Amino acid sequence: MNSNTIPLSSPHMGESEQKYITETLASNWVTSLGPNLALFEDRLEAYLGSGAVAALNSGTSAIHLGLILLGVQAGDEVLCQTMTFSASANPILYQGATPVFIDSEPDTWNLCPVALEDAIQDRIAKGVTPKAIIAVHLYGVPYQVDAIREVADRYGIPILEDAAEALGSSYKGQRCGTFGDIGIFSFNGNKIITTSSGGALVLRTAALKKKAIFYATQSKDDAPHYQHSTIGYNYRMSNICAAIGLGQLEVLDERLRLRSAMHDFYVELFKSIPGVTVYTVPHADYASNYWLTTLLIRPELTGGITRETVRQALNDAAIDCRPLWKPMHLQPLFENQPYYGGTVSATLFDIGLCMPSGSALTDADRSRIKEVLMGVF
Ligand SMILES: *Cc1c(COP(=O)(O)O)cnc(C)c1O
């Protein structure tokens, strides 16, 4: 990437991050302890409307601690949406458990409730009841919340809700991150708001939040010396990162508006181009933060123009774009793990493209993107 490259999704600071950081440096709370953490957690809880938030150093560590809190151990099986970023699935391996991958349905691109139930029944018939379900709101579009919850409850299996990409999204008016038995967010640099690196757990009770923070800060027992009776982790968010997060929360609504405007830009651009669809929520119950706007390009309808034609044209013009997440069951790392479903996610991967969607993009950026796309079509 050169400095002229239009990025997919870049950090976008507001007015007050600098002020919060400067105050934090002056106070010398330059550690994984300090007043910004509780403030950041309180404000995120208020935004979500329910749940107890524990701020951590990444979304990946939040998923790992979430699995630990759900009791996932070596030898267990965990059901996981196959179409996702590898960080959804890697923590299953950290625990020595086995991931069982599930296909998507075509409406939300997320966990297919039918394939999920098939998998549960087959795993139970084979003698193992899965320990947890990892469901993802891909690109900000909520999964089929009610249908997935029904299946999970029928078998008594808890849901770990990966809302890493879905801060600000909602289903039937309720915010994503609050539907799982445990929810997680990421504040990595490419997400809708960032703390540089960071994440959070959303828990159902204050007691569980306390337990999560205990594990995340090396599981120190109550003693004057360092005493440990359980395995601990260094997973807490730093007070400096929380300072950035305080500033970013203040501009979240504006960032959501700008991401949505990028989505509208692509909808307008492609409305008269056959064979290209801009991924949009399937129904009025769903509200997406449109973290990334994504396209499906069907060469049989575009006169032979493929995803790769478009991707290469954009990349040649220094415009960042990328195929959709490659499903986990097609990854070399996971190729021997069980998989349930058909070819929905594999097809999406073949024809899908993530477009530059950041809230910091300018009119000049949009003109450049438009020019290249109109050249291709
Ligand atoms: C970004 C992301 C994560 C991981 O978050 P980090 O903060 O980068 O560790 C997990 N799941 C999904 C779906 C993501 O997009």
Side-chain angles (χ1 to χ4, degrees):
M1 276 222 309
N2 60 45
S3 60
N4 205 18
T5 301
I6 296 179
L8 204 64
S9 177
S10 63
H12 187 184
M13 292 300 111
E15 303 277 307
S16 52
E17 290 83 352
Q18 184 69 62
K19 173 188 68 129
Y20 286 118
I21 292 173
T22 306
E23 284 169 10
T24 304
L25 290 175
S27 74
N28 207 33
W29 282 108
V30 187
T31 168
S32 57
L33 205 79
N36 297 331
L37 282 161
L39 262 182
F40 180 67
E41 289 168 344
D42 288 351
R43 287 180 192 172
L44 194 53
E45 283 169 13
Y47 180 78
L48 295 175
S50 72
V53 171
L56 301 181
N57 60 5
S58 74
T60 309
S61 49
I63 294 170
H64 188 200
L65 268 194
L67 292 177
I68 290 166
L69 291 167
L70 293 174
V72 173
Q73 295 178 342
D76 286 339
E77 292 190 352
V78 175
L79 302 159
C80 182
Q81 182 166 325
T82 191
M83 185 136 201
T84 187
F85 179 45
S86 63
S88 302
N90 277 328
I92 303 169
L93 300 184
Y94 301 168
Q95 284 306 94
T98 300
V100 174
F101 292 110
I102 315 286
D103 203 3
S104 297
E105 37 80 13
D107 289 343
T108 75
W109 300 4
N110 294 311
L111 212 48
C112 171
V114 178
L116 177 66
E117 186 153 21
D118 284 351
I120 294 172
Q121 289 179 348
D122 191 56
R123 298 325 286 177
I124 291 174
K126 289 187 160 70
V128 191
T129 302
K131 210 56 190 275
I133 297 166
I134 300 177
V136 188
H137 306 292
L138 220 55
Y139 305 116
V141 175
Y143 60 77
Q144 293 186 5
V145 172
D146 290 343
I148 297 297
R149 173 50 73 188
E150 245 173 65
V151 174
D153 285 354
R154 205 171 296 142
Y155 300 90
I157 305 172
I159 296 173
L160 181 70
E161 179 191 3
D162 181 346
E165 303 177 1
L167 180 63
S169 299
S170 58
Y171 176 79
K172 294 185 176 173
Q174 184 181 334
R175 297 253 192 243
C176 288
T178 64
F179 294 109
D181 294 81
I182 292 180
I184 76 99
F185 287 110
S186 165
F187 307 110
N188 190 32
N190 64 345
K191 297 303 195 304
I192 197 146
I193 60 167
T194 183
T195 58
S196 72
S197 174
L201 272 167
V202 185
L203 302 150
R204 291 267 171 103
T205 65
L208 268 174
K209 167 176 171 172
K210 206 172 155 202
K211 196 167 170 185
I213 293 172
F214 173 79
Y215 287 144
T217 52
Q218 308 286 20
S219 299
K220 294 180 199 121
D221 294 343
D222 194 9
H225 54 277
Y226 283 111
Q227 168 94 9
H228 308 276
S229 18
T230 16
I231 186 167
Y233 303 87
N234 185 5
Y235 280 176
R236 191 70 162 136
M237 182 181 279
S238 96
N239 194 53
I240 290 275
C241 292
I244 303 172
L246 287 176
Q248 288 273 279
L249 278 178
E250 290 174 6
V251 291
L252 174 57
D253 285 341
E254 177 63 7
R255 299 297 178 263
L256 288 166
R257 197 183 63 70
L258 293 165
R259 296 262 174 177
S260 198
M262 280 309 295
H263 183 264
D264 293 344
F265 163 74
Y266 290 111
V267 169
E268 178 64 27
L269 202 64
F270 285 107
K271 73 176 182 214
S272 53
I273 295 179
V276 181
T277 37
V278 180
Y279 179 37
T280 299
V281 290
H283 183 273
D285 284 344
Y286 297 78
S288 177
N289 64 6
Y290 289 120
W291 169 57
L292 294 185
T293 297
T294 55
L295 310 177
L296 295 182
I297 300 161
R298 294 188 172 81
E300 66 277 17
L301 300 172
T302 58
I305 297 168
T306 65
R307 189 274 310 279
E308 280 306 279
T309 323
V310 181
R311 188 182 68 80
Q312 274 156 10
L314 288 164
N315 285 357
D316 287 350
I319 297 168
D320 203 7
C321 64
R322 217 159 295 168
L324 304 186
W325 299 123
K326 181 173 182 178
M328 291 303 114
H329 73 283
L330 302 177
Q331 299 282 357
L333 173 63
F334 293 118
E335 67 192 357
N336 296 319
Q337 311 297 341
Y339 171 69
Y340 292 84
T343 56
V344 173
S345 57
T347 304
L348 291 170
F349 172 62
D350 280 343
I351 64 171
L353 190 64
C354 299
M355 300 300 288
S357 309
S359 49
L361 294 180
T362 62
D363 282 338
D365 293 334
R366 277 181 286 274
S367 301
R368 250 176 79 195
I369 294 167
K370 182 173 177 177
E371 195 181 318
V372 174
L373 289 171
M374 291 305 106
V376 174
F377 290 96

